[in-house]
Amino acid sequence: MAVKSSGRWLVLSVPYLWLLALFLVPFLIVFKISLSTDAIAQPPYEPIFDLSAGWDAFKEAFAQLSFENYSYVLSWDNEFIEAYGSSLWIAGVSTFLLLLVGYPIAYGMARAPKSIRPTLLMLVILPFWTSFLIRVYAWIGILSPEGLLNQLLMALGIISPDAPLQILATNTAVYIGIVYSYLPFMILPLYSALEKMDDTLLEAAADLGCPPFAAFWKITWPLSLPGVFAGCLLCFIPAVGEFVIPDLLGGSDTLMIGKVLWTEFSVNRSWTVSSAVAVLLLMVLVIPIVFYQNLQAREVEGR
């Protein structure tokens, strides 16, 4: 009995140890750096906690920590607030577009014959077999002024060879890149929710004279909401902090917090300000997660 109990606690402790080692400890390190000040040294911040210097030196170093970097990031005199707002806007619009594109695909997969559903599922996850960076670079060749898209439209006579579409280095290219890259993350939870739906509910609605669109709106859509929320969170959260797509497909006017954070860290060599930006970004992203968890808790209580 004691062996079973200790084994159960060992299994339960694994995810907590994982979170402690790979989330909480790195977060505390970043948070400590965000409270430090820049210095011409290695590492480029101070103070450095050195327990070998004694308890008094540790207290003196602790007293030097301050929230000045947060005041600087949250002030209206720089681009950080604008970058946060722009990132939330681009991520929100991209998530909405992902839902518009992903829902019909997931619905079609859930209504397809069971024999071909594994094949359709494999086609959805097939892009993951290629490097994310290569897939984003491929869009440069498609969206550039001399790219495949403009050549196709010129061949069809839709646009003039003298006036190619300027999509690359705009926010439109960023939306296209995000929708393409994160589409499987929207489709998979939607498909999981729609596949579990009881088809007899739709048959009963049809027998009672309910039109197909009304049946979809009153039965299918409410039952698929857990998949909708899960898909939106899986796409929205990484899209807010996206760096590669806006850096490669966006232009100089594309302002996202991931690019700003990278610039502060690698170009300006300000680890303290970039750490403060990262901590505030995490706090912004925690809000929708808490909202989703509360929603799930209410659903469980409702059952």
Side-chain angles (χ1 to χ4, degrees):
M1 188 68 181
V3 175
K4 288 185 178 179
S5 178
S6 59
R8 185 179 63 180
W9 280 108
L10 181 61
V11 172
L12 292 176
S13 64
V14 170
Y16 291 101
L17 292 175
W18 180 276
L19 289 175
L20 177 67
L22 299 180
F23 175 75
L24 186 59
V25 172
F27 172 76
L28 291 177
I29 294 174
V30 172
F31 182 65
K32 182 267 172 187
I33 296 176
S34 70
L35 301 178
S36 306
T37 55
D38 292 324
I40 303 176
Q42 187 60 35
Y45 60 84
E46 58 184 11
I48 304 294
F49 289 145
D50 186 5
L51 296 177
S52 62
W55 178 245
D56 292 335
F58 180 85
K59 290 194 297 183
E60 183 180 352
F62 188 82
Q64 297 178 22
L65 300 179
S66 70
F67 288 90
E68 291 183 1
N69 292 317
Y70 290 94
S71 301
Y72 174 71
V73 172
L74 294 176
S75 64
W76 293 99
D77 300 333
N78 51 52
E79 62 179 1
F80 295 109
I81 298 296
E82 185 181 356
Y84 279 116
S86 176
S87 297
L88 292 173
W89 171 258
I90 292 176
V93 173
S94 300
T95 303
F96 179 70
L97 295 175
L98 280 161
L99 183 61
L100 288 181
V101 176
Y103 199 100
I105 297 175
Y107 186 82
M109 291 172 59
R111 291 289 167 266
K114 290 186 178 180
S115 58
I116 66 170
R117 289 181 189 176
T119 303
L120 297 175
L121 198 60
M122 187 190 69
L123 292 176
V124 170
I125 63 177
L126 194 62
F128 288 127
W129 295 7
T130 307
S131 167
F132 172 75
L133 198 59
I134 292 176
R135 284 184 279 135
V136 176
Y137 266 112
W139 277 104
I140 297 177
I142 296 174
L143 301 177
S144 62
E146 62 279 359
L148 296 176
L149 179 61
N150 274 314
Q151 290 182 12
L152 176 63
L153 296 177
M154 291 175 189
L156 296 175
I158 298 176
I159 62 174
S160 170
D162 299 331
L165 295 177
Q166 299 293 334
I167 300 177
L168 191 64
T170 64
N171 284 352
T172 303
V174 176
Y175 290 134
I176 293 173
I178 292 177
V179 170
Y180 166 75
S181 300
Y182 292 99
L183 188 58
F185 296 108
M186 179 63 78
I187 292 177
L188 293 179
L190 284 172
Y191 170 73
S192 177
L194 291 169
E195 190 189 29
K196 296 176 184 175
M197 195 178 68
D198 189 355
D199 293 338
T200 58
L201 296 175
L202 296 177
E203 294 175 2
D207 292 341
L208 294 174
C210 184
F213 180 78
F216 170 82
W217 186 247
K218 294 181 179 179
I219 298 174
T220 304
W221 174 254
L223 292 177
S224 65
L225 282 180
V228 171
F229 286 120
C232 289
L233 283 179
L234 286 174
C235 296
F236 178 79
I237 291 175
V240 172
E242 183 58 56
F243 163 72
V244 175
I245 294 175
D247 188 59
L248 295 180
L249 302 182
S252 56
D253 295 333
T254 303
L255 186 62
M256 292 193 71
I257 197 64
K259 289 180 63 177
V260 174
L261 194 153
W262 174 255
T263 301
E264 287 294 329
F265 184 83
S266 61
V267 179
N268 298 337
R269 295 281 295 169
S270 180
W271 289 23
T272 59
V273 173
S274 59
S275 298
V277 172
V279 172
L280 290 174
L281 178 62
L282 178 64
M283 294 175 64
V284 170
L285 296 180
V286 161
I287 295 175
I289 295 176
V290 172
F291 173 76
Y292 179 66
Q293 286 183 334
N294 290 335
L295 188 66
Q296 280 193 322
R298 291 178 184 176
E299 290 182 355
V300 172
E301 292 176 357
R303 294 173 187 172

